[in-house]
C-alpha cells in the first residue's frame, strides 16, 4: 500500500471535546464549520440519543519508530500517512450497516472526482453487494450546501470518468440525484433523516 | 480521551501483504499465528470471495507533530497511541452490521477481563441496542483454541466484575456460552460460519 499524504493539505488535528463543543459561539448561517466537525458532532448526537452508532475511522498511519521513555507510555517518533483502503465513516443504524465517505470542495459549480480514490469506489461497490447502505456526502463550502448521494447514483459519474469522460460532476448533475442535507442546530447535519426516506 | 499505550506491550507492526502471506511456511497444528493476523487473513478471504466486507480499524493515534520535507509527503514525528473508543473490527455481512473485538491470552484456564476497557463495553452495548451483530473473539494462544462469544453472553461476566465479583472468566465458563472457531487453511478462522448459525 502506498504511503502518501491523502490530499496534499497540512494535517489539522480535529479532536473536539464535549466542553469545547458547548463553548462554541460560531454563528450558523448557511455555512457550517468543517464538514468533518459537523459530521462528528452529528454522530455524537446520534450516539448520545441512542439513534445510531456511527464513527469516523482513525486516520491510518504506518508506524515505523516508537520510543518507550517509560514502561507505561510510548511515543511514536516516525510514522507516515497511508492511503485509506475504505471510506471514513461506518456504523449501525437499526441493524443496518451504514457506510459513507464525506468530501468538501471550495468549487461552486462542480465537484472534482480526484477527491476520491479507486480503492474507495471498490470498497463502496463491495458494501453495495453486501446490501449495506452506502452513500457519499459532498459539501460545497463556499455555497454552504451539503448533499447526500446514494452510491448507486454516484458510481455512474465515476464510471463516466473511467470511460474517458469528464473528471468532475457538475453541481446540477449532483442535484438531480442527491438530497440536500439542511444545516440544523442539533444535529448539525441530520443525514439519517434522508437515509430513513431512501432505505427504510 | 486518555493517551496511553493500550496494553503495555511493545508495538509490533503487522501489515501482511498478499505476497508475504503466500510465502509463509508456518506449519499449522493447533496453534495459529497471531490472532490479528489470522483474522486479517480471514477478512481478506471474505473480501476477495465477496462474502463480507469486514476490516480492522486503524490504530488510533493522536498526531502532534508533522514534518513536510516535500510538498507531496509528510512525516509524522510525534504522535501517541490513544485508547480506542470502539472495537477493532466492523463491517457488513448480508446487509447486517458486524462488530467485534478480538483478544488473545497466554493463560490456559481463564481470561482476564482487564483486556477490555469500559468504553469498549459501552460501545458494544450501543451496537446491541441498534440490533447490530456484536460479539467477542478470544484466543487461548497456549491451548490453540479460539472462541466466539456473543456479546449478550459476554456482558454478564463484565457486570459480575463491576458488581465486585471475579476479574476474569474461567475457560469453562466461556465454553458454556461460546462456540469454538476451528482453525482452517482458508479461511483461517471462519467466524462467519458461527454467525450464520446464531443470527441468520
Amino acid at each position: 500500500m502506498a504511503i502518501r499524504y491523502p490530499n496534499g493539505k497540512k494535517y489539522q488535528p480535529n479532536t473536539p471535546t464535549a466542553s469545547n463543543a458547548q463553548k462554541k459561539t460560531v454563528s450558523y448561517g448557511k455555512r457550517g464549520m468543517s464538514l468533518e466537525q459537523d459530521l462528528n458532532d452529528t454522530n455524537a448526537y446520534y450516539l448520545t440519543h441512542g439513534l445510531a452508532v456511527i464513527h469516523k475511522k482513525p486516520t491510518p498511519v504506518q508506524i515505523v519508530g516508537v520510543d518507550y521513555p517509560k514502561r507505561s507510555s510510548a511515543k511514536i517518533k516516525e510514522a507516515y500517512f497511508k492511503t485509506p483502503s475504505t471510506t471514513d465513516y461506518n456504523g449501525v443504524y437499526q441493524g443496518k450497516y451504514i457506510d459513507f465517505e464525506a468530501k468538501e470542495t471550495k468549487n461552486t459549480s462542480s465537484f472534482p472526482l480526484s477527491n476520491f480514490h479507486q480503492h474507495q469506489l471498490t470498497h463502496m461497490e463491495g458494501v453495495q453487494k453486501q446490501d449495506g447502505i452506502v452513500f457519499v456526502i459532498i459539501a460545497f463550502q463556499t455555497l454552504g450546501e451539503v448533499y447526500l448521494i446514494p452510491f448507486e447514483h454516484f458510481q455512474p459519474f465515476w464510471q463516466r470518468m473511467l470511460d474517458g469522460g469528464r473528471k468532475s460532476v457538475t453541481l446540477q448533475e449532483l442535484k438531480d440525484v442527491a438530497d440536500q442535507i439542511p444545516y440544523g442546530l442539533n444535529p448539525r447535519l441530520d443525514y439519517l433523516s434522508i437515509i430513513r426516506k431512501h432505505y427504510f
Side-chain angles (χ1 to χ4, degrees), chain A residues 13 35 37 50 70 76 83 116 119 129 167 171 181-182 191 199:
Chain A
L35 178 61
Q37 178 74 68
K70 286 184 292 181
I76 300 163
T83 303
F116 282 85
H119 50 256
K129 281 182 190 149
K167 294 184 174 64
L171 178 56
I181 311 174
Y191 62 86
Y199 297 95

Side-chain angles (χ1 to χ4, degrees), chain A residues 13-79:
Chain A
N14 200 344
T15 52
T17 63
S19 62
N20 71 23
Q22 283 170 348
K23 268 186 277 177
K24 263 168 218 143
T25 52
V26 179
S27 74
Y28 287 94
K30 289 177 89 175
R31 293 175 65 174
M33 300 183 300
S34 83
L35 178 61
E36 179 176 335
Q37 178 74 68
D38 285 336
L39 289 171
N40 286 349
D41 288 359
T42 299
N43 290 337
Y45 177 90
Y46 290 153
L47 187 65
T48 55
H49 289 75
L51 298 171
V53 180
I54 299 167
H55 288 279
K56 183 174 191 295
K57 292 189 183 182
T59 304
V61 299
Q62 177 77 43
I63 297 165
V64 175
V66 183
D67 261 353
Y68 298 88
K70 286 184 292 181
R71 229 187 119 111
S72 61
S73 69
K75 176 182 170 181
I76 300 163
K77 57 177 185 173
E78 185 180 358

Side-chain angles (χ1 to χ4, degrees), chain A residues 75-166:
Chain A
K75 176 182 170 181
I76 300 163
K77 57 177 185 173
E78 185 180 358
Y80 300 91
F81 293 99
K82 288 198 297 189
T83 303
S85 53
T86 67
T87 48
D88 271 358
Y89 297 87
N90 75 355
V92 58
Y93 173 58
Q94 297 188 13
K96 301 288 187 94
Y97 178 72
I98 302 284
D99 190 300
F100 65 97
E101 183 62 31
K103 298 289 187 192
E104 50 192 351
T105 180
K106 287 179 178 162
N107 289 10
T108 54
S109 60
S110 70
F111 173 77
L113 289 166
S114 57
N115 280 290
F116 282 85
H117 301 291
Q118 177 59 51
H119 50 256
Q120 291 182 310
L121 273 285
T122 303
H123 169 75
M124 290 190 276
E125 281 164 15
V127 170
Q128 190 178 38
K129 281 182 190 149
Q130 284 297 321
D131 288 326
I133 294 174
V134 53
F135 53 94
V136 162
I137 291 178
I138 296 175
F140 287 83
Q141 294 170 280
T142 312
L143 303 174
E145 295 174 4
V146 184
Y147 294 93
L148 186 153
I149 306 103
F151 177 69
E152 62 188 284
H153 295 308
F154 183 75
Q155 200 277 337
F157 297 128
W158 187 264
Q159 190 58 50
R160 180 176 67 183
M161 179 183 72
L162 295 181
D163 293 342
R166 53 180 300 157

